[in-house]
Amino acid sequence: MTKADIIDRVCERVGGFSKKEVAELVELVFDVMKKTLEEGDKIKISGFGNFVVRFKQPRPGRNPQTGREIMIEARKVLTFKPSNVLKSALNES
């Protein structure tokens, strides 16, 4: 699903807004989420899941093509843990 698909689906479900207004709103939500994660805060969406930024320490690694050892730099990674409600919805038969 792309951002355009999200905008289309929101337009279908919520009447009274133009596609341009919905696009601005969706963009605003993503901007707020991005800024929150950049600041190192977590995002918890009830019934959906948690987005958390974690710090990974530098560690030794290996180039799979050459087999040469390299040092993998420290970095931040984004993790998502789905809520039990979302897990249940995905596994309904």
Side-chain angles (χ1 to χ4, degrees):
M1 174 176 262
T2 65
K3 193 185 301 185
D5 294 332
I6 293 170
I7 292 166
D8 290 339
R9 291 206 184 168
V10 170
C11 279
E12 290 171 8
R13 292 184 183 210
V14 180
F17 294 100
S18 70
K19 201 170 195 176
K20 182 179 178 183
E21 291 171 324
V22 171
E24 290 173 0
L25 186 61
V26 168
E27 196 66 46
L28 181 63
V29 169
F30 287 145
D31 285 343
V32 169
M33 291 176 72
K34 183 174 142 186
K35 283 186 177 38
T36 301
L37 293 168
E38 284 175 353
E39 293 169 0
D41 296 333
K42 71 178 184 176
I43 298 175
K44 182 175 185 173
I45 303 172
S46 182
F48 188 72
N50 297 321
F51 294 91
V52 180
V53 176
R54 291 188 14 211
F55 181 77
K56 292 189 105 176
Q57 297 289 338
R59 65 188 197 282
R62 188 175 306 275
N63 181 329
Q65 289 183 330
T66 63
R68 198 175 111 225
E69 286 195 15
I70 58 170
M71 191 61 151
I72 299 172
E73 296 179 8
R75 65 188 191 277
K76 294 178 184 177
V77 295
L78 179 63
T79 61
F80 174 72
K81 183 176 182 202
S83 72
N84 289 332
V85 173
L86 180 57
K87 287 180 192 177
S88 296
L90 293 174
N91 291 305
E92 285 181 353
S93 344

